Amino acid sequence: MSEHLLEVRGIDAYYGPIQALREVSLHVDKGEIVTLIGANGAGKTTLLNTLFGNPRALVGHILFRGEEITRLPTYQIAKRGLALVPEGRHIFPGMTVEENLVMGTIPVGMEHADEDRQAMFELFPRLEERRDQRAGTLSGGEQQMLAIARALMARPEMILLDEPSLGLAPLVVKRIFEVLREIAGLGKTIFLVEQNANHALKLADRGYVLVNGVIELQGSGKELLGNPQVRQAYLGGH
Ligand SMILES: Nc1ncnc2c1ncn2[C@@H]1O[C@H](COP(=O)(O)OP(=O)(O)OP(=O)(O)O)[C@@H](O)[C@H]1O
Ligand SMILES: [Mg+2]
């Protein structure tokens, strides 16, 4: 049994002969905001994808709510209450905002769709204004909001986000991080992968630093923000 909401124990993952994750262990407790920071190619996206079974962890264990999910099919992992906002958003560009939200209900069914869509429109008023607009014509920031809202439509207990601030203007980035705090306030647990270490560590209760597939450092957001190694490598040395 694990007391953590999510617990990753010593996982290795490979792409063919290339090892992308080495003995990665971490945990996220209920209600926490935890961030994983690391440079390009460190293995951040691989870790999130491994949680969903692609690639599979060849060694080690992944537990969610105390139950092993390491070898479950992806759709069953989603049904258990984990949702991923993938890198690059992957919204359906030809569908409207509203249709994209409906797609988010797939793991749980349509029972609460109307109520939950309304809740998303309250959280993201911009999406309500654009409910009939094709998602591919939204701005980058709006698309990111839609990707987050779509993930929330599955009523996850925990939401995993892969670089939600990537490529967005500073004001939009600020808004994204505010939204994450609001989502945490709704009782969701958050695991956030970011290259924007400054924003992420300020938001997070705790953080991990991934270097070449290995967790090199961990600590509270505050500790990591003040760590000279982190400052040098991820905060431009300031
Ligand atoms: N499908 C794949 N096939 C082969 N190698 C891959 C594949 N996906 C990722 N890799 C390799 O695995 C390593 C980790 O990549 P990953 O995408 O997890 O890094 P990342 O930390 O998310 O980087 P970024 O910040 O650029 O998104 C890299 O060396 C990458 O080239
Ligand atoms: Mg990535």
Side-chain angles (χ1 to χ4, degrees):
M1 257 310 268
S2 166
E3 290 160 29
H4 304 299
L5 181 58
L6 175 74
E7 184 171 5
V8 174
R9 288 189 194 150
I11 61 170
D12 289 352
Y14 291 82
Y15 294 109
I18 298 172
Q19 187 165 8
L21 297 177
R22 289 172 196 273
E23 293 180 41
V24 168
S25 293
L26 56 83
H27 67 269
V28 181
D29 289 332
K30 193 171 165 52
E32 273 192 313
I33 304 178
V34 175
T35 189
L36 176 76
I37 61 173
N40 285 122
K44 304 181 299 298
T45 298
T46 301
L47 175 61
L48 290 186
N49 288 340
T50 301
L51 298 178
F52 281 85
N54 179 33
R56 290 269 172 211
L58 288 192
V59 175
H61 300 274
I62 304 166
L63 293 96
F64 186 61
R65 293 172 159 159
E67 291 170 15
E68 175 120 31
I69 61 166
T70 323
R71 267 160 265 287
L72 287 183
T74 299
Y75 74 93
Q76 284 200 12
I77 296 170
K79 268 182 190 260
R80 288 185 181 215
L82 267 177
L84 174 65
V85 181
E87 190 173 16
R89 298 150 202 155
H90 294 278
I91 45 139
F92 301 104
M95 290 187 180
T96 65
V97 164
E98 202 154 4
E99 288 163 350
N100 268 274
L101 292 179
V102 170
M103 296 303 282
T105 65
I106 285 176
V108 289
M110 293 280 290
E111 194 187 339
H112 301 285
D114 288 346
E115 169 195 341
D116 289 352
R117 184 179 44 213
Q118 223 35 58
M120 288 309 114
F121 287 156
E122 273 161 40
L123 193 58
F124 303 108
R126 289 283 278 258
L127 293 183
E128 181 163 32
E129 289 164 26
R130 290 162 175 74
R131 64 197 294 167
D132 298 320
Q133 189 173 323
R134 278 174 191 247
T137 65
L138 296 173
S139 73
E142 290 161 357
Q143 291 190 17
Q144 187 62 57
M145 305 286 181
L146 178 58
I148 294 171
R150 186 183 57 185
L152 290 172
M153 289 294 285
R155 300 196 147 199
E157 180 163 12
M158 178 167 177
I159 180 164
L160 315 172
L161 301 106
D162 196 350
E163 302 204 41
S165 75
L166 194 67
L168 301 178
L171 266 180
V172 184
V173 171
K174 190 162 168 270
R175 179 63 198 138
I176 295 274
F177 279 90
E178 282 167 9
V179 159
L180 294 180
R181 200 179 283 287
E182 285 168 31
I183 291 169
L186 298 174
K188 306 287 181 191
T189 302
I190 295 180
F191 186 59
L192 170 68
V193 161
E194 263 298 341
Q195 278 193 61
N196 194 329
N198 186 34
H199 269 102
L201 291 173
K202 279 184 182 150
L203 175 75
D205 300 304
R206 291 189 301 111
Y208 294 89
V209 180
L210 190 67
V211 180
N212 292 328
V214 177
I215 301 279
E216 292 249 309
L217 283 171
Q218 54 182 297
S220 70
K222 221 173 175 177
E223 280 163 5
L224 291 176
L225 261 181
N227 179 301
Q229 250 175 293
V230 172
R231 300 194 77 77
Q232 184 61 38
Y234 305 103
L235 301 169
H238 302 302

